[in-house]
Amino acid sequence: MIQSLSSKLQASHPLAPELLRFMGPVLLTSMLQAISGAINNAYLGRLVGPTGLAAAAIIAPVQGLLFLLLAAFAMGAAVLVGRASGADDDDQVTRIGGTALAITALLCGAVGVPAYFAMPWFVQLLDVPPEMFDEAVRYGRFCLPGFFATAFFMIMSIMVRATGDSTFMLRCLVVFCVVLAVATPAFIVGGLGVPGLGAAGAAMGSFVAMAASLAALLFMLRIEQHPLRWGRVKKHSGMDPRLLWEMLRLGGAVAVFSLSAVAADTLVLRLVNAHGIESTAAWGLAVQVAMWVQFPAMASGAAASVFAAKAFGAGDLERLREVTRTATVLCVAIGVVMCGGVSLFATAILAALTEDAAVRAIGVELVYVLVWGKVCMALAGIRSATMRATGVVFWPMVIYVAGDLLVLVPLATLLDAPLGVVGIGAAVTLSHAVAFSLQALYFNMADVARGPRPVLAKATAAGSILSRSATSPSQR
């Protein structure tokens, strides 16, 4: 499919083949991530039952909060790495990596430890059924070791991808899935010398698999003498104030959006939980299955961000615009195909993940509704990623927050009464459509009504921070 798209689009979009070559490994990486989630859910559904699936769905917003906060700073670091890579400045890439890892270590301690003690409060906040409370708290706490390993893997792999190589993360995810498939059932039911932990065993299996992936990534970076290899980055593991500020500025807007998204998801999950344990389990499975349609979002958005940052670092603003146009076309083409495929096989996929007929029936209806919202999310993500690569983050952040708090939550509440859980899913899809429309409006009106895009003019000023940071100490 990728080769066919490349030949058709190359004439009108010269960047299409280059973007597709980058997107291929990213797309496969996203598929492996979804497969790993499906492996965990399948083991939970088969070995533990609806209780285990519901516990995982309940803790998902907590995990989302922790990982999205880290991903926000990782994206800020990736933009700086992409710009430095576009300018062929390997020393600056290493300095950015050292600062980013120092921030990651601080965040792990500042967020992970309080999360352990706050887990009962958060689970209670979700209005979880009493029979699920202890299991959900235990599962959530066992997720924290995996949080630390995932944090370092996330920041390293995203920065490596920002240099233009999207294969490192793919190779590491292969290791992750292989280890996960063996470790998870062992920790759930007991075996291979480890005790059975029930639903919490899925979290411990993820931790062991992620630790193996991180070790594989560090080994490959060392073998290939990458600018972000550990032996080089640890020499710059302090915090460069200018790099830190720009990383926080770029990532902070993403963090604000992430917090609003988690807040909205939490409120939506409360509405879902009110429909019973079957609806909660079905919601978790449907969201996992719909992630397959989000692959174009991850692939096209990641490609747009990396190529836009490298173009901006090289001072080629026309290429930057072409990146946005080409990524949008590819996202629509691949996204529609993925929507059709996932919808067509939704019943079979849900049947493989759970034996509970009620959960399957609700889950299939939710999949039909949620998948189309993922395409809208992808398209909005391309525009916000391009603007973030140039340093413009405020208005894209405002649009996302408004979509979550002013559209999603009220609409979900409104549609819950007449349509139930499916109405809540429809509200999620409609909110993504609104966010995309507003992002496109801001992006396009700025270009059409005012000539040269204002976001690019603002980005030029913001990019000077990177240039000053790239200056060697002897030049300052």
Side-chain angles (χ1 to χ4, degrees):
M1 180 179 66
I2 288 179
Q3 289 181 347
S4 175
L5 284 171
S6 177
S7 60
K8 292 179 180 180
L9 294 171
Q10 186 170 5
S12 58
H13 298 278
L15 277 178
E18 193 174 351
L19 283 173
L20 283 167
R21 282 193 294 271
F22 183 90
M23 288 171 60
V26 176
L27 189 61
L28 292 174
T29 298
S30 300
M31 293 175 66
L32 285 179
Q33 288 174 330
I35 288 172
S36 68
I39 289 173
N40 259 11
N41 279 332
Y43 282 137
L44 284 171
R46 297 285 180 175
L47 300 180
V48 181
T51 301
L53 290 172
I58 288 167
I59 296 303
V62 184
Q63 292 178 303
L65 173 62
L66 297 177
F67 290 131
L68 286 174
L69 286 174
L70 282 171
F73 292 103
M75 289 177 186
V79 169
L80 299 185
V81 168
R83 292 179 187 174
S85 178
D88 294 323
D89 190 345
D90 286 350
D91 290 338
Q92 181 71 350
V93 170
T94 303
R95 284 191 290 271
I96 295 166
T99 299
L101 288 179
I103 295 175
T104 303
L106 289 176
L107 285 175
C108 284
V111 177
V113 174
Y116 179 89
F117 295 100
M119 197 65 66
W121 172 83
F122 189 88
V123 172
Q124 187 176 21
L125 181 67
L126 291 174
D127 198 20
V128 172
E131 65 271 18
M132 283 296 308
F133 185 84
D134 290 339
E135 186 70 24
V137 171
R138 186 166 181 261
Y139 180 87
R141 284 176 167 170
F142 269 90
C143 284
L144 292 175
F147 162 71
F148 295 111
T150 303
F152 285 96
F153 177 79
M154 179 188 297
I155 191 71
M156 286 294 294
S157 60
I158 290 177
M159 288 192 298
V160 170
R161 189 171 65 189
T163 64
D165 192 331
S166 58
T167 64
F168 277 94
M169 191 182 294
L170 174 61
R171 287 177 277 174
C172 291
L173 260 294
V174 172
V175 174
F176 178 82
C177 287
V178 171
V179 176
L180 185 73
V182 176
T184 299
F187 278 107
I188 290 177
V189 300
L192 301 178
V194 299
L197 299 174
M204 283 304 297
S206 295
F207 163 67
V208 172
M210 186 53 68
S213 298
L214 179 60
L217 176 61
L218 295 176
F219 176 76
M220 287 187 289
L221 291 175
R222 179 182 177 183
I223 291 298
E224 300 196 17
Q225 293 295 293
H226 195 278
L228 288 170
R229 64 187 181 275
W230 175 245
R232 180 168 171 162
V233 169
K234 69 180 179 181
K235 298 177 181 178
H236 300 274
S237 57
M239 291 191 184
D240 184 309
R242 288 175 176 157
L243 289 176
L244 176 59
W245 165 249
E246 183 68 354
M247 205 176 297
L248 292 173
R249 189 184 74 82
L250 294 170
V254 182
V256 171
F257 154 62
S258 299
L259 288 172
S260 73
V262 170
D265 288 346
T266 301
L267 295 173
V268 167
L269 190 56
R270 283 178 62 92
L271 296 175
V272 173
N273 288 340
H275 290 271
I277 190 171
E278 289 84 5
S279 293
T280 301
W283 183 270
L285 287 178
V287 170
Q288 188 69 52
V289 173
M291 282 292 294
W292 286 81
V293 180
Q294 196 170 330
F295 296 157
M298 297 177 179
S300 57
S305 180
V306 170
F307 279 72
K310 289 172 75 69
F312 185 73
D316 190 347
L317 299 187
E318 183 54 41
R319 179 179 171 87
L320 190 152
R321 293 187 178 96
E322 180 59 28
V323 165
T324 306
R325 291 192 293 266
T326 305
T328 298
V329 172
L330 294 176
C331 178
V332 171
I334 300 175
V336 170
V337 172
M338 293 297 292
C339 274
V342 170
S343 297
L344 182 63
F345 295 103
T347 301
I349 295 172
L350 268 295
L353 295 178
T354 180
E355 296 179 342
D356 191 296
V359 173
R360 286 202 307 269
I362 299 171
V364 169
E365 292 186 4
L366 285 171
V367 168
Y368 292 154
V369 173
L370 292 174
V371 290
W372 296 102
K374 299 300 183 182
V375 178
C376 294
M377 178 190 294
L379 295 171
I382 290 171
R383 281 151 181 78
S384 62
T386 302
M387 289 186 280
R388 182 171 58 249
T390 63
V392 177
V393 292
F394 178 75
W395 284 110
M397 174 199 72
V398 170
I399 291 171
Y400 273 127
V401 172
D404 283 331
L405 302 183
L406 301 182
V407 178
L408 172 56
V409 174
L411 193 57
T413 304
L414 181 66
L415 296 180
D416 182 21
L419 300 176
V421 178
V422 176
I424 299 173
V428 172
T429 294
L430 290 172
S431 70
H432 289 319
V434 170
F436 162 60
S437 300
L438 293 176
Q439 292 279 11
L441 183 65
Y442 173 69
F443 193 86
N444 294 331
M445 284 183 64
D447 191 33
V448 174
R450 303 180 188 178
R453 197 186 312 276
V455 297
L456 298 182
K458 295 177 182 177
T460 302
S464 63
I465 295 177
L466 178 65
S467 299
R468 292 196 301 269
S469 296
T471 306
S472 65
S474 61
Q475 293 172 312
R476 290 174 183 161

